[in-house]
Amino acid sequence: MSNTYKKLAVLGHPIAQSKSPLIHEYWIKKYGVEGAYGAIDIHPDDLEKDFGALITEGYTGLNVTAPHKETIRKYCDYFDDAAYEIGAVNTLHIKDDKLHGSNTDAYGFAMNLETSFPDFNWTKGPAVILGAGGAARAVAFALKEKNVPVMKICNRTIFKASNIAADMGGFVMPWEERREAIKNCNLLINTTSLGMVGKDSLDMKLDVLPHDAVVYDLVYAPLMTPFLLDAEARGNKVVTGIGMLLYQAQKAFETWYGILPDVDEDLRKIVLQ
Ligand code: ATR
């Protein structure tokens, strides 16, 4: 662990709504380490112009969020396996003038489930992913790493599901067949934006879902989406999306400080306010 001052920030567009400053400032204070964590808004058209200048300002680390997770790769000197395979970087560590790009989203996804249900058996049966955007790629990578036996990807735009299936292994199911897809599933994950505050709700019938399947929604505003409420009402175990945000941050903090910080109840309360 090193306790030299670290200049840190999250980079995205827009960025005002990001919870990352709250999370990392909480840990900086809790662990008494030196540093500050800000938020930087760069429009995609200005990334080329502004990113180089940003690095010369002496940042130790950055989190990268939409819409820069893919484009930022061209500035990286090194990648970890997750960033390489997912094709997106959410954490940068700047060491000896070299940019190390990593992706902690898959870690965050898996840790959130494993800390919620420590007995969960990833290899017991198929997993179904709803959606095929950036978040789905990270989830598919995590499922592959956990040796989930069968992965089915249902998306409205079929070619996006096909791309993930080709890269990570898995089967593509048409969006219209999502009800049939979950028949024997062990884990059902919503990675779409449906159900989020201000978006349409997720129209997903759960009548054929096994009662012992775990249902996981990456959406965390609201914390309990109608999809999760439906699942809970029929007796399924549910996992909310807030933990994925907290655990991806946990791994990023460890990258910079060498400390794996606690995801404690006070922190959960702060981010849910
Ligand atoms: P993220 O990076 O957070 O995953 P994204 O790349 O914009 O965000 O992906 C959003 C996902 O929600 C996509 O799978 C999208 O489906 P398409 O690939 O067909 O666009 C899905 N989604 C958004 N609105 C949807 C809707 N009304 N019906 C079905 N799927 C929807």
Side-chain angles (χ1 to χ4, degrees):
M1 176 196 139
S2 114
N3 200 16
T4 51
Y5 186 89
K6 299 194 194 305
K7 192 168 170 176
L8 306 164
V10 58
L11 167 66
H13 178 79
I15 204 61
Q17 82 299 342
S18 173
K19 305 233 182 234
S20 293
L22 272 178
I23 299 169
H24 289 285
E25 285 288 347
Y26 175 86
W27 284 328
I28 286 170
K29 206 168 153 199
K30 175 169 173 173
Y31 291 97
V33 291
E34 296 290 327
Y37 190 107
I40 302 165
D41 193 328
I42 298 184
H43 188 277
D45 295 345
D46 298 328
L47 192 66
E48 191 77 48
K49 174 168 70 68
D50 293 346
F51 188 69
L54 192 67
I55 295 306
T56 59
E57 284 176 34
Y59 278 89
T60 309
L62 293 168
N63 280 130
V64 183
T65 188
H68 301 310
K69 283 184 177 185
E70 287 93 19
T71 43
I72 210 75
R73 288 178 298 167
K74 68 177 174 199
Y75 303 101
C76 292
D77 299 292
Y78 304 102
F79 297 104
D80 73 353
D81 287 350
Y84 182 77
E85 288 203 41
I86 295 166
V89 163
N90 81 329
T91 303
L92 286 172
H93 190 193
I94 300 125
K95 272 191 298 190
D96 305 325
D97 292 327
K98 297 286 184 206
L99 264 69
H100 298 252
S102 55
N103 191 310
T104 67
D105 288 330
Y107 169 89
F109 166 78
M111 277 297 283
N112 185 30
L113 173 46
E114 288 177 351
T115 53
S116 302
F117 299 112
D119 295 335
F120 178 72
N121 180 0
W122 294 93
T123 61
K124 188 177 153 203
V128 175
I129 302 176
L130 303 175
R137 283 192 78 82
V139 168
F141 176 76
L143 297 182
K144 188 175 81 149
E145 293 281 287
K146 295 291 180 186
N147 298 312
V148 166
V150 178
M151 174 166 37
K152 299 179 198 170
I153 307 162
C154 292
N155 196 48
R156 182 180 58 176
T157 309
I158 208 94
F159 85 87
K160 286 164 74 180
S162 304
N163 284 343
I164 298 181
D167 290 348
M168 307 289 176
F171 300 94
V172 175
M173 301 280 292
W175 184 244
E176 295 70 29
E177 289 175 27
R178 60 196 181 283
R179 175 178 170 270
E180 289 72 31
I182 64 173
K183 258 180 195 156
N184 58 349
C185 105
N186 180 42
L187 175 62
L188 170 61
I189 311 131
N190 174 40
T191 73
T192 75
S193 45
L194 296 169
M196 200 182 281
V197 173
K199 303 270 181 175
D200 290 341
S201 57
L202 171 60
D203 177 13
M204 182 73 214
K205 288 194 180 54
L206 298 177
D207 55 325
V208 297
L209 180 72
H211 287 277
D212 61 351
V214 170
V215 179
Y216 191 150
D217 201 336
L218 267 49
V219 170
Y220 60 83
L223 188 62
M224 282 298 286
T225 58
F227 170 61
L228 288 188
L229 288 169
D230 275 3
E232 197 176 56
R234 65 191 297 287
N236 290 97
K237 289 178 175 163
V238 300
V239 182
T240 68
I242 195 69
M244 179 167 169
L245 174 76
L246 295 169
Y247 283 103
Q248 65 74 31
Q250 179 190 54
K251 192 77 181 161
F253 190 90
E254 187 192 35
T255 302
W256 304 319
Y257 283 105
I259 297 169
L260 192 69
D262 260 356
V263 172
D264 60 33
E265 278 314 306
D266 284 347
L267 178 61
R268 280 182 192 272
K269 278 186 206 141
I270 290 169
V271 295
L272 287 172
Q273 270 169 11

